[in-house]
Amino acid sequence: MKIRFRFERSEELKYIGHLDVMRLFERAFKRAELPVAHSQGFNPRPHIVFAQPMPLGLSSSGEFADVELEKRYELNIFLEKLNAALPDGIKAVDARESTSNRNIMSIVEAARYRIDFNAMQSSDIDSIISKVLSEKRIIVFKKTKSGEKEFDIRPLIYEITGEANDGTGFFNVLLSSGQHNNVRPELFFEGVRICTGIDIEMTKMHRIMLYGRAENKWLPLTDERFLQRDL
Amino acid sequence: MRVQLDDKILMKVEKPARYTGGEWNMVVKNPRDVDVRFAFCFPDVYEVGMSHLGMKILYHILNKRSDTYCERVFAPWVDMEKIMRDEGIPLFALETKESVNEFDIVGFTLQYEMSYTNVLNMLDLAGIPKLSAERNKTHPFVIAGGPCACNPEPLADFIDFFAIGEGEEVILEIIDAYKEWKAAGRDRSEFLKKAAEIPGIYVPSLYNISYKEDNTILKIEPVNAGIPEKVRKRIIKDMDRADFPENIIVPFIGTVHDRIMLEMFRGCIRGCRFCQAGFIYRPVREKTPEVLLNQAKGAIEKTGYEEISLVSLSTSDYSCLTNFTQELLKLTEERKINLSLPSLRIDNFTIDLMEKAQKVRKSGLTFAPEAGTQRLRDVINKGITQNDITSSVKIAFEGGWNNVKLYFMMGLPTETEEDIEGIANLAKEVVDVYYNTPRKKRAKGLKVTVSAACLVPKPFTPFQWFGQDTVEEFHNKQMLLKDKLRKASRSIIYNWHDARVSLLEAVFARGDRRVGKVLLRAWQNGCRFDAWNEFFNFDSWMEAFEEEGIDPAFYANRTREFSEVLPWSHLDMGVSQKFLQRECKRAYKGITTPNCRVQCTGCGSSVFGTGICKTDPGKGEEA
């Protein structure tokens, strides 16, 4: 059976990279004695697919993964067993059965972040936000395999709100995410620096939720619409 | 004091998870609820230290006691050290993040000589005086153990006492003695005297060393009666009953050995004359297959690891290998776990075993002929022939392996140019075996890697008297071999070791107390992480020798007489000096010595009355 689950990673476990998280789950499934199906072939790999890599330093309350199990489990039993085998700081919070054939990575289209910052000059947060939103284009340089590439992130910034006082504050942003047009928080910050000229330093990043898009709405990946067999 | 680590620090350093702890199976206790806090220090970075089985064993044994909390401490990497020094953050333990100077006992494991400056650096970061003589009642006791403790003299000024031999039992006796001393509220020196009464404990400050005019040692004697003249190592008599951890810590980040390590036995029957481990861990003591299988099963369930590795000095010499590996394979196949089988002698049985065990790609196979000619292999008592090697690689090539590593040593006693050329000839022979393997059977793309280390003569081996080659001699031999290998085949890659590192290893492996000053000076000159190429600074070391007026050649390159009082002659690792002298003489004559199962050589380890000496003592004792 295929299960899609949402998990959270707290501050204490944010200092490991994506490969470490993958290995952590593989070992947790083994400890939980939840038999994960493996790929066929020369080097069998467990069928666990994560919706979006988690860079080192990011905490999150809205991560998703698909796992293919060799047996059927009640969803609450699955959660209980898995959580008993996960270390403090990482927790599965929701599990749904999935009959979709779609790769979970291809569903992700946006992510909501809370990004904390220190700004060197005190500036009105509302004017920063309206400045960013009023731009037609925000060109940043994105590192690619073949060097740096110009990249217009303005159309990929969907929403910004925020609060600030005494030089510290946070943004709550909805950014394009996923396999195409992924805007990482660092890139968004680069854009803010470029179009406002303000010296602003990111101090913390937290992913609130990963979303897919269906019926003109942003929906979490455990929404029924993403779990059904594709027509 | 609990150190505060936040993003401002952790997001600036490489691999911040080195410092955050919280791994699966980490032991959590309230430090206020225990009597003894023990900081287990590994003097290298997290990924190296977390790969060390001995630490896992002692962590487990100490933490089983409700009166003791053992925490882990590693050397912070240079980026973190800089921040710690800038911000005034003391060395801390991973479990509670509390500073190490608040602990009762700070214990270092000494696995290699080139970690010694890290010991000093960690004491310094902890705010603990580096010299034992400068510590007072506000400071922890600093102790050490591990294989390098069999000649602890270079660290005698810095370590309050050493545990000689295997630590599982003695460490509990140390804790008991400490509790008693603490409750009685006595002087620091009282505890040292008490500790010296525990078998296997060596307190360097309770021994006087006097020197002759020629700088060799005149006498080593205890400062007063009641202190043992000789300290004999401790061993575990019954490996089946020794506590072995199944709930080992599972790191979040990759470590050097990131897998379950299942220890099959201690000791080695072989007696290769250069190998310190082959002598200091005697006698061979095996665990039974039943115990091993239970421990494997327990560890798999409690860790979730995807790989298990057998650990011993020579896997092939395990007496029930066939039955045991068959049972173990059932367990690992069913759970989709990789079985790693290091240090196997390659034959038809083991190749078959490896095919079954490693479903993954065929990684390299390693062979250790150690010397290039049969004559020299007889000198070092490496009981394998040219034919053993070529028939093994033939089996490997036919089995589809195409990546072979060959390990050798340079600077062995009686070595000539012919022996160095022999290395190239043997490597060429291996290449020929490959090309004589039918095309259909062999895999494409041969790669033969020749690694040649520089011999570091070690205490408690038959070569303990032998003068190491100079750096220049090593260099000449390396250039000769490089040239010969280049001419032999294009499939051969040659790796050599930095002879300057081997020189320092030789000094600190066989040094006396006086080289401790050099260590301290080198640390002051900025040396640390000397085992890491990128930080090894030979010039700083040479300056340190010069500043302290100590000649490294006296310790490294000088051949000693049998009559010389060696710096470790007050320690007893179970092998007698008489036996080592006998083996040394046989080496120079090129006479091999049979292994412990064939014939007992009377090495002295039968005093422990256990293991192979008791159950399978060859064909009777040699006179």
Side-chain angles (χ1 to χ4, degrees), chain A residues 34-180:
Chain A
L34 290 165
V36 177
H38 280 62
S39 62
Q40 300 296 306
F42 212 48
N43 185 9
R45 297 285 311 148
H47 277 301
I48 310 171
V49 186
F50 293 82
Q52 179 89 340
M54 291 187 87
L56 192 149
L58 179 82
S59 59
S60 178
S61 51
E63 299 300 306
F64 298 87
D66 279 353
V67 60
E68 182 83 47
L69 297 176
E70 284 174 349
K71 283 195 229 163
R72 289 198 69 80
Y73 287 88
E74 297 276 343
L75 293 169
N76 57 338
I77 302 278
F78 167 85
L79 279 178
E80 208 174 283
K81 274 174 159 278
L82 179 57
N83 279 323
L86 283 171
D88 287 349
I90 205 151
K91 194 174 177 213
V93 285
D94 187 17
R96 309 286 172 99
E97 182 164 4
S98 166
T99 52
S100 166
N101 291 324
R102 209 171 147 194
N103 184 325
I104 188 169
M105 290 159 73
S106 73
I107 304 173
V108 178
E109 291 193 49
R112 183 174 293 284
Y113 293 92
R114 178 191 154 123
I115 315 171
D116 288 40
F117 62 81
N118 282 328
M120 290 308 135
Q121 310 101 301
S122 61
S123 268
D124 181 12
I125 183 94
D126 295 330
S127 63
I128 294 175
I129 292 170
S130 43
K131 174 84 175 112
V132 173
L133 291 177
S134 68
E135 297 285 335
K136 288 241 155 44
R137 304 174 52 176
I138 303 177
I139 305 295
V140 296
F141 291 92
K142 194 175 182 175
K143 279 192 193 110
T144 64
K145 279 170 205 150
S146 52
E148 287 203 329
K149 214 177 115 188
E150 281 193 7
F151 188 48
D152 179 10
I153 60 167
R154 177 60 196 92
L156 308 174
I157 300 170
Y158 302 138
E159 281 175 35
I160 320 178
T161 56
E163 276 176 31
N165 51 49
D166 289 342
T168 68
F170 69 87
F171 291 115
N172 182 317
V173 288
L174 184 68
L175 302 173
S176 170
S177 196
Q179 291 173 313
H180 310 287

Side-chain angles (χ1 to χ4, degrees), chain A residues 11 13-16 20 23-24 26-27 30-31 33 36 38 42-43 56-57 70 84-87 203-204, chain B residues 6-7 10-11 16-17 20 24 250-254 258 301-306 335-337 359-360:
Chain A
E11 287 275 313
L13 242 180
K14 72 178 185 180
Y15 300 105
I16 62 175
D20 300 325
R23 193 170 42 210
L24 181 159
E26 285 167 25
R27 290 172 181 171
K30 277 202 150 71
R31 291 192 290 262
E33 296 188 355
V36 177
H38 280 62
F42 212 48
N43 185 9
L56 192 149
E70 284 174 349
L86 283 171
T203 54
K204 235 173 220 187
Chain B
D6 55 16
D7 278 21
L10 292 171
M11 290 305 285
T20 50
W24 186 258
V250 185
F252 291 126
I253 56 173
D258 201 4
E301 284 165 4
K302 288 169 189 159
T303 63
Y305 261 123
E306 56 288 319
R335 290 156 197 253
K336 298 192 179 72
I337 285 168
K359 303 256 176 322
V360 226

